[in-house]
Amino acid sequence: MSADSRPLGALPASLAELHPDPWTEPFWRATAEHRLVCARCTSCGTFRMPPAPFCHVCRAQEVAWPELPGTGVVYTFTVVRHAVATVALGHLPYVVAVVELDGAPGARLIANILGADPSVVEIGRRVHVRWDDVGPRTTIPRFELVDS
Ligand SMILES: [Zn+2]
């Protein structure tokens, strides 16, 4: 844990203010229940992450929200060594990754990688979700390396 009791690698809770819209609200409602879901087009089956009003393949609007296992693979990542805001100064360095989600082919989620020395994060490493409760109804899905 870092000095302010945040998980190692997690951004300050004050940077996690959500602004859900009709397309993202089901995602955030699920994360508050510690469930990882992904919008899936009910017409052609394409997963949409981030959720969007129209399917980028068939332009349909209707979606279902299947629950995912909460695991995946680091598709790519960067190590942030310069604070984007002064409140983040005590949290450097941290890893921001694009995680390819198991159970949702083609869907990728941008998230922090927690609890790891940034030098051990690699493309292709297995990760699993770790729920970061930053408020009474706000939970951010972050990930940690499997077998780290
Ligand atoms: Zn579609």
Side-chain angles (χ1 to χ4, degrees):
M1 298 292 247
S2 60
D4 68 354
S5 298
R6 303 281 301 132
L8 179 64
L11 289 171
S14 61
L15 291 178
E17 185 179 341
L18 302 180
H19 300 279
D21 58 33
W23 301 280
T24 60
E25 192 277 338
F27 175 83
W28 293 116
R29 188 170 1 105
T31 64
E33 300 169 352
H34 294 188
R35 295 183 303 110
L36 188 63
V37 298
C38 185
R40 183 177 192 193
C41 177
T42 57
S43 178
C44 75
T46 300
F47 285 92
R48 299 185 216 168
M49 183 61 77
F54 295 95
C55 175
H56 67 274
V57 173
C58 75
R59 308 299 292 165
Q61 289 191 282
E62 294 75 24
V63 294
W65 292 90
E67 190 166 337
L68 306 179
T71 56
V73 172
V74 174
Y75 180 80
T76 191
F77 71 98
T78 189
V79 179
V80 178
R81 299 180 190 281
H82 300 279
V84 295
T86 55
V87 69
L89 282 171
H91 301 267
L92 299 171
Y94 60 88
V95 177
V96 177
V98 177
V99 175
E100 199 157 53
L101 300 170
D102 290 345
R108 298 175 185 139
L109 181 64
I110 298 171
N112 280 134
I113 302 295
L114 302 179
D117 177 339
S119 68
V120 302
V121 178
E122 297 176 318
I123 292 171
R125 288 286 305 264
R126 299 280 312 159
V127 292
H128 65 89
V129 71
R130 181 170 163 190
W131 300 110
D132 186 5
D133 297 313
V134 297
R137 294 287 304 149
T138 304
T139 300
I140 307 295
R142 306 191 195 274
F143 288 82
E144 60 186 4
L145 298 176
V146 173
D147 300 320
S148 59

